Amino acid sequence: MNAGKAIWHRWCEYETARLRSTKPAAVPAARKAEQPYATGSSVLVEHDAARLDYNGSRYRLTMRRLLRNTGSELITRS
């Protein structure tokens, strides 16, 4: 490309301009604690178990969760 350090200098200028133009993030409002059954869609983890087995050459990780849909919406992804 024979650009020397021109690409690097342009990138540094871009980053400097980008950082100057970004506004500081607003502090999120404090959220009140919610009961698991209070929201429209919530999944309650009733039991969570993990197991790691080693057979001498490989590890096998098994994770199991018992979930309960406490909301009114369907669970479409796990």
Side-chain angles (χ1 to χ4, degrees):
M1 289 175 77
N2 273 346
K5 292 187 178 181
I7 296 172
W8 173 253
H9 290 297
R10 292 296 270 173
W11 183 83
C12 290
E13 291 171 5
Y14 165 77
E15 279 297 303
T16 303
R18 186 179 66 85
L19 291 174
R20 270 192 238 137
S21 68
T22 57
K23 297 177 183 175
V27 178
R31 294 180 62 189
K32 62 178 183 174
E34 296 177 355
Q35 297 295 325
Y37 297 102
T39 60
S41 64
S42 52
V43 176
L44 179 66
V45 179
E46 292 189 345
H47 184 75
D48 194 0
R51 179 176 166 172
L52 184 62
D53 294 315
Y54 182 66
N55 68 1
S57 63
R58 291 185 176 180
Y59 287 96
R60 180 178 180 178
L61 174 64
T62 306
M63 298 179 71
R64 293 176 179 250
R65 284 187 173 166
L66 180 59
L67 304 175
R68 182 192 305 174
N69 183 3
T70 58
S72 58
E73 297 179 18
L74 297 176
I75 299 173
T76 58
R77 184 174 173 191
S78 60

